[in-house]
Amino acid sequence: MALQGIEVEGVIIKEYPAKEGVSNRTGNAWKSQEFVIQTKDQYPRACLFRVFGADKLEQFNLHQGDNVHVWLDINARPWQDRYFNDVSAFRVDHVDASAAPAQSQSADDPFKGAAQPAAPEAPFAGGQDSADDLPF
């Protein structure tokens, strides 16, 4: 199972300051910024994610209060015998806040909107005692 392509739609509720530096390994400059997105579900969930690269930061143009649809790549990285999740955005679409929300199945609830099962039938009444209402 690949953890790339997880989609989240919601509002950017926190924008952290951008960080910049130079790679010790390659000598190349880098830029990164973290954001928190919150879903608009009945029980909202929040997710911290990172955008890496000055070009992507400029392209995505994210700011607190933006309504966005974000595609995330999740990967765990080891550090001192522990693993830490790295959640990075690789695609961002700005969503028109006045548009009606899309009716789609969420990844965490594949049965959302599915037909409910019918109510169970009445117990079998085949002339047996009520204490033993099993049909067999």
Side-chain angles (χ1 to χ4, degrees), residues 5-6 19 24 41 45 60 63 68 76 82 84 86-87 89 91 97-98 118 122 127:
I6 294 178
K19 298 176 185 177
N24 292 333
D41 299 328
R45 294 182 181 197
F60 297 163
H63 299 287
V68 292
R82 289 197 44 148
F84 295 88
D86 178 31
V87 181
R91 178 179 167 187
S98 64

Side-chain angles (χ1 to χ4, degrees), residues 16-87:
Y16 289 95
K19 298 176 185 177
E20 307 182 53
V22 177
S23 170
N24 292 333
R25 189 172 51 94
T26 65
N28 296 333
W30 59 267
K31 188 173 184 180
S32 176
Q33 189 171 2
E34 293 179 325
F35 301 89
V36 177
I37 186 171
Q38 184 174 44
T39 66
K40 296 180 184 180
D41 299 328
Q42 180 180 0
Y43 302 105
R45 294 182 181 197
C47 178
L48 172 77
F49 67 92
R50 179 173 62 110
V51 176
F52 188 81
D55 57 335
K56 285 188 179 178
L57 283 167
E58 185 178 327
Q59 175 189 353
F60 297 163
N61 192 28
L62 291 171
H63 299 287
Q64 192 165 322
D66 288 354
N67 288 296
V68 292
H69 191 110
V70 181
W71 282 259
L72 301 171
D73 178 23
I74 300 174
N75 190 28
R77 300 194 186 281
W79 185 69
Q80 295 184 353
D81 200 33
R82 289 197 44 148
Y83 278 82
F84 295 88
N85 286 330
D86 178 31
V87 181

